[in-house]
Amino acid sequence: APVLISILLGASFSRYQVEESVEHLLAPTHSLAKIERNLVDSLFPVNRSKHRLYSDLQTPGRYGRVIITSFRKANMLDQHHTDLILKLHSAVTRIQVQRPGFNYTFAHMCILNNDKTCIVDDIVHVLEELKAARSSNRTNFAITYPITHLKDGREVYNGHQLGGVTVHSKDRVKSAEAIQLTYYLQAINSLNDMVAEKWESIFCDTVELFQKSNRKVKMYPFTSSSLKEDFQKTSRVSERYLITSLVLVVTLAILCCSMQDCVRSKPWLGLLGLLTVTLATLTAAGIINLTGGKYNSTFLGIPFVMLGHGLYGTFEMLSSWRKTREDQHVKERTAAVFADSMLSFSLTTAMYLVTFGIGASPFTNIEAARIFCCNSCIAIFFNYLYVLSFYGSSLVFTGYIENNYQHSIFCRKVPKPEVLQEKPAWYRFLLTAKFSEDTADSEETNTYESHLLVWFLKRYYCDWITNTYVKPFVVLFYLVYISFALMGYLQVSEGSDLSNIVATATRTIEYTTAQQKYFSNYSPVIGFYIYESIEYWNTSVQEDVLEYTKGFVRISWFESYLNYLRKLNISTGLPKKNFTDMLRNSFLKAPQFAHFSEDIIFSKKYNNEVDVVASRMFLVAKTMETKREELYDLLETLRKLSLTSKVKFIVFNPSFVYMDRYASSVGAPLQNSCISALFLLFFSAFLVADSLINVWLTLTVASVEFGVIGFMTLWKVELDCISVLCLIYGINYTIDNCAPLLSTFVLGKEFTRTKWVKNALEVHGVAILQSYLCYIVGLIPLAAVPSNLTRTLFRCLFLIALVTFFHCFAILPVILTFLPPSKKKRKEKKNPENREEIECVEMVDMDSTRVVDQITTV
C-alpha cells in the first residue's frame, strides 16, 4: 500500500511547477512596505523618474543593467573607455527580439519620457558631451560628483552611475573605476512582459559577447530575471551532488546493518529503511503538487530532514530486534520491537509535527518557511505511517528468513558447519553463521555481539567514556564549548541579502559584489512621499519638510523649485492661489522643470482653484560601509520620523519589501516552535514515568541550540530563512537522539549511575551511531555544491549533527554519572502482610506422644 500510494501521488510531481516570484517566497507576507507601495502606486501610477535615478522608486519592473570596469583599475572616463562604453550602448539599443510579424527593439519597449523619447541614463549624455568636448578640444568641460550639470542646464545625479570615483577640489571628478548603465523596459501586458523577458536574455548574451571581444574590461550584466533564475539554479547544480549523496547513504546504510554472520546480517533492512524515507518524501511532494503548491530551491533541505528522523527510527527498530530472543516466534519478536521502540518514535514524531506545524501555520510571515514546514509535516506524517507498515512488514520478512537460517542476501538455506567444512574458503566466508545448538546452555552470549558497532560500544567506548580520568577532560571540553558558543551568540547577525540564497557562479553574485565594491557610497534612492494637502506656500511648512530630509543627497522638485523662486527674487510667502498657479505654470513652461512634472499632483476645486494633494522628493543617504545594517537603521529612522513629524509622509524603495521587519518575520517560526516544544515537554511531564526525563531533555535541547547558533555565527552563517528552518529541525533532531538515552538512564533502578549510562549507550548507541554516520555521509556532497543556499544548509545541518553527537556520546554520559537521579537501592519497609508465618502441625504417634514440627512459610 505505501508503494502504490507513493507511485500514484509522486507521479504528479513529474509535471511540477516552479515558483517564479522570489518576492512571494522571501519577502514578509504582512509587510508595511507593501501597503506603502500600494499607496505610492495609487498616487503616482506612472513612473518616469528613471531617466535620472539609478533605482526604481516604485516597482522593480523589467530592466537590464551592466557595470563596466577594468582589470587594471583604469580610468573609465578616458577616451578609449568612453568610446568603448558608447559602442556598447549602441549595441544594446540595436538588440532585436524576433516575434511573428514584427521585430522588437529597445525603442519599441523602452519607458518613454514626456517628449515621447526613450529614457536613457544621464551618464550616457555625460559621456557623449565628454566625447564632443574632446573632439572640439574644449578643456572647460568638468564632471562633478555626485551631482553634475548637463549643457541643457539640468542637474543630474550620478552617484549610482559612477563608481570608484577620485575627485579634485569642489567635487570635480578626476577618475572613475566603474560605470553603470541601466535600460528600463515596459511590461504593461503579458505579451509585452514576454518580449521584455526575452530582451533581457539577449541583453546578457550581447554584453558577454562584447566582453569576449574586449578582454581588457570586465562587464557584469544583471536583469530583473537574474535573481529568480539564479535562485532556481541551485536545484540544477545540485542534481549530481544529491545523486552522489544518495549513493553514499545507500552504501553506508547497507554496511551499518551488515555483519559477518550471514543469517543475522540485515543489509536489506538498511536499504529498505532509506526506501521508506524516500517513499514518504515522494508522497509529500505529490500532495503539495496536487494542491497547487510550487517547487522552489528551499525544498532541497527536506530530504535531509527526513533522513535524520526516518533512518534513526528504522535503526532503532533494528536495534530492538537484536535484543529479542531468537527462540521466540517472529510475531512475538516483532511485537517486542514495536513495544520497545515505537513509543519513543511516536513521541518524537509528534514533536516534529508540532514544531513544524507551528511553522506551517499562518503565524509564519515568510512564505518559503511556511511551505517548507508544511511539506516537512506531511512527509514526517507519512514517514511514520510507512515505518509502521512498510518497514514493519520488511522486518517481519527478514525475521522469517532469519528463523529459517536463510542467507540474509541470497535467501538460500545456510548449510550446517559440518557441511561447510567441505566447501572452499570463500564459500565458507560468505556463509558464516552461528547456529543455536552450537551454544551451550550454560553460555549467555548474544549472537549479535559480533556486529562491529555493538562490539565497539560494549567492549571499549562505554568503559572509556565513564572512566574517572576521562570525565574532567569532558567537563573542560564542555566549558570551552559554552565559551565559544557564547562568543558567537553575541555576534549573531540578521541576513536579508538575497544573494545568500542563490548559486555562487551566477550573475547575481558577480553583479552584487561589483556593486558593493564600486557603488556603495550612497544608498538606493528613497522616495519621500507627502500624501496630504499641506500649505506649500507657507515658509514654516517648507522648512519643516526640508528639515526631515537633512543629511541626505536631495534630488527633489521641492528644493529645485525653491532655488528657482530665489533666482526670480520671488518671496516664498505667497498666498495659496498665487503659489499654486505659479507652481503649475512653472512646471508647464520652465524647461528646467520638465522632468519634475509628475512629482506633484494637482487637484481642481470649485472656481478653478487648484490644490496640491500629494508630492514627493527623492533622497539618497550617504553610507560609509558596505554593510546592509545601515539601510536597516535608515529605514527605521525614517519610519520613526514619519510618525512624529508635522507633515504626513511615507518613505519607500522596492528593497524595503524584503527588509521590512525581516528579522522578526524570520525569527517568529523559531520562537513559536521553541515555545510549542517547551509546552509539549511540560505537558508530557505528567504522562511519562519520570518528569526528570523532560527536565534533562529541555536542558539538552537548550544547550545544543545555543551552541549551534553560536558556532553558526562564527562560521559566517547569518540568521536568515534557511538557517532558521535548520534550527527548528535541530530541536527535533536533538530530541530524536537524546530522548531514548535519557529515558533509559532516568528510569533505571538499582545498580549505579555509571552502570545505567553504559546500559543506555549499549541499548541506543548503535542506532544513534548508524543514523549519524549515514547522515554525515549524506551531507558531505552538499558542501561541494556551488550555491550559497546549500552552503548555509550544509553548515547548519552539519553543526546540528556534530553538536548533538557530542552531547549524546560525551557530554551527557559524563554529566549523568554524577548528577541526579540517584540509583541507590531503596530499602523496602516490612509490611504486616509480608511477616513470617509459623505453621504448627500436630503429629500423634502410636504412643500418643505429641510432637510439634515448625514449618516456616513465606
Side-chain angles (χ1 to χ4, degrees), residues 114-162:
N114 292 332
D115 57 0
K116 305 302 181 182
T117 59
C118 286
I119 293 176
V120 180
D121 277 352
D122 284 319
I123 191 63
V124 175
H125 302 310
V126 172
L127 295 179
E128 289 174 345
E129 292 185 11
L130 182 61
K131 181 178 180 179
R134 289 196 179 108
S135 301
S136 59
N137 293 324
R138 287 190 291 112
T139 59
N140 59 346
F141 182 80
I143 303 174
T144 55
Y145 180 83
I147 295 177
T148 191
H149 295 79
L150 298 179
K151 64 180 181 180
D152 60 2
R154 287 193 298 122
E155 288 185 352
V156 295
Y157 170 72
N158 56 26
H160 291 133
Q161 297 169 352
L162 291 178

Side-chain angles (χ1 to χ4, degrees), residues 514-669:
Q515 201 277 335
Q516 291 178 349
K517 180 179 180 181
Y518 296 109
F519 300 94
S520 59
N521 290 336
Y522 296 96
S523 72
V525 178
I526 301 169
F528 181 92
Y529 299 87
I530 301 174
Y531 58 93
E532 67 169 340
S533 180
I534 60 175
E535 297 179 349
Y536 289 90
W537 57 90
N538 193 316
T539 306
S540 61
V541 173
Q542 297 171 6
E543 296 300 326
D544 287 339
V545 173
L546 295 179
E547 179 67 25
Y548 291 114
T549 61
K550 185 182 297 184
F552 294 91
V553 177
R554 287 190 291 271
I555 315 165
S556 64
W557 70 267
F558 202 93
E559 185 181 34
S560 299
Y561 177 71
L562 294 180
N563 291 332
Y564 177 68
L565 292 181
R566 293 188 185 99
K567 290 179 182 178
L568 296 177
N569 295 322
I570 301 176
S571 171
T572 56
L574 292 174
K576 173 183 176 180
K577 190 174 187 310
N578 294 341
F579 178 88
T580 52
D581 288 343
M582 182 176 295
L583 185 64
R584 183 178 58 177
N585 293 333
S586 298
F587 274 88
L588 293 175
K589 297 178 181 179
Q592 58 265 48
F593 287 103
H595 54 283
F596 293 125
S597 59
E598 67 153 333
D599 294 330
I600 61 172
I601 299 177
F602 294 103
S603 176
K604 288 188 177 181
K605 294 185 177 181
Y606 296 107
N607 301 324
N608 292 325
E609 184 179 350
V610 178
D611 196 9
V612 179
V613 296
S615 59
R616 69 177 175 184
M617 302 181 189
F618 308 134
L619 311 174
V620 183
K622 178 71 174 177
T623 53
M624 301 302 295
E625 301 287 343
T626 59
K627 293 181 180 179
R628 196 172 180 86
E629 285 77 5
E630 290 192 3
L631 207 53
Y632 274 125
D633 297 337
L634 176 61
L635 174 59
E636 292 301 320
T637 301
L638 291 175
R639 286 269 174 80
K640 291 177 182 177
L641 286 175
S642 66
L643 296 175
T644 59
S645 68
K646 300 176 183 177
V647 179
K648 293 181 180 179
F649 71 89
I650 58 173
V651 290
F652 182 75
N653 180 276
S655 62
F656 290 173
V657 174
Y658 294 97
M659 294 166 48
D660 192 15
R661 298 181 182 176
Y662 184 83
S664 59
S665 299
V666 165

Side-chain angles (χ1 to χ4, degrees), residues 380-453:
I380 288 165
F381 175 73
F382 276 96
N383 179 75
Y384 178 75
L385 297 180
Y386 289 2
V387 167
L388 283 173
S389 55
F390 180 78
Y391 193 78
S393 302
S394 304
L395 189 65
V396 171
F397 282 122
T398 56
Y400 281 115
I401 291 173
E402 181 181 336
N403 275 19
N404 295 330
Y405 286 97
Q406 294 174 267
H407 197 282
S408 59
I409 299 177
F410 307 112
C411 300
R412 62 166 295 177
K413 191 80 173 179
V414 177
K416 296 285 186 177
E418 55 270 17
V419 179
L420 281 176
Q421 295 300 325
E422 303 173 359
K423 301 294 182 181
W426 65 269
Y427 191 89
R428 292 198 302 272
F429 176 79
L430 289 177
L431 275 77
T432 301
K434 192 171 186 178
F435 286 78
S436 300
E437 52 266 28
D438 296 341
T439 304
D441 295 337
S442 58
E443 297 179 3
E444 295 181 358
T445 58
N446 187 348
T447 52
Y448 285 100
E449 282 189 7
S450 58
H451 190 284
L452 180 62
L453 296 180

